[in-house]
Amino acid sequence: MEAAKAAAQVPSSVKEVLRVLSEAGHHAVVVGGAVRDLVLDLKPGDFDVATSALPEEVMALFPHTVPTGIKHGTVTVVMDEGGKHHPVEVTTFRVEGEYKDGRRPHQVSFVRELREDLSRRDFTVNALALVLWPTPRLEDPFGGLGDLRAGRLRTVGDPMHRFGEDGLRAVRAARFAAQLELTAVAGLEDAMRQTIPIVRKVAPERYLQELKKLFEKARAPSVGLKMLQRTGLLEVVAPGAPGDEASLTRPDRARDPTVRWAAWLWDAGRHGAHATLKALKASNQHQVDVAALCSLPRPATLPHATDAQLRQLLRTVGRARLEWLRELWSLEGGAPLAQRMSDVVARGYVENASELAVDGNQVSAWSDARGKALGELLATLVRRVDENPELNQPEALRALVTELKPS
């Protein structure tokens, strides 16, 4: 019944690929995280097909294929349905040779047996396969289904061996523990700790991807963050990031992923958050967004903030981040203050000179001001409008310019 329910969720393009391969005499299955998610009634991100067919055999069976990773056995089959193209990645069953760089196998060898292919995977909950033809069934040679039901996180085979092959797997352990709400079996965290030298070989961008998934998919990111902290991996993965209890647990109360990042790095301040994200090779925009939020003071430090102070603070953070600001402040009892900030905006907040009802050219024509003098005049107009939003209309601004113009 479980297999039939999972099979019903497989896209028709993937089913057709499985049918063609199976009817040609090859073993073909859906593998990995998609099967795990289907069993958990979650929506998979991608559906990967694994098969006993060699890459050239796969390409011979379908009219439109792309050899996207043929060295490692991967061919993308492009299915045409209703005039739309649906790419399906098909990879030949394989085993992997020695990992010489702590990240990728030096070579792979194609095999014909599914169990051999599943034996190379990281965790038992990812070493699952769904067979559709001729009848749906689940292949689970390493007890992944039982681990899912029992809430266990366990490697396929010895964790020291698995983490020693690929340094990213120890980081993925923390992410899966949080995302799937699993508890590490005895010895797994110790293996994570002992394989830190291998973890250090991983590119920072890969750490970033795991942390992004942690903040996007886990109900309680603190589970993964605390595991990284306990095992000594946090400083490797995110140098300079806070590791105290408050910082690690604060993201659990946020929902937006960007706010979760800021909630974690808040105690590091703007510069600390920026340094951590730069080390992770995060995008410039992500660095700027999170660092801006981390510049916010705690709501408790602003008990008597004036509207003018709130406007200046928002000008520093940026109005585009107002909703993030509201959520971050609300984590520490600052919802009333955040509402005041929103009220300030609703009354006609002006962030900079570009939001004045007239442009710089018009102000220059009225005042004869140029260069630095014009910039100072525009800044004064912004301050005056900041104090009285009703002044932000052309005639009122012209009167202000006349008033401010040297006699």
Side-chain angles (χ1 to χ4, degrees), residues 224-260:
L225 293 175
K226 287 183 177 182
M227 183 181 286
L228 292 173
Q229 198 271 341
R230 284 195 304 272
T231 56
L233 290 176
L234 189 63
E235 181 59 28
V236 177
V237 170
D244 59 283
E245 180 74 9
S247 297
L248 297 179
T249 57
R250 195 182 295 119
D252 293 355
R253 305 198 305 278
R255 287 294 168 262
D256 186 279
T258 300
V259 178
R260 285 181 157 188

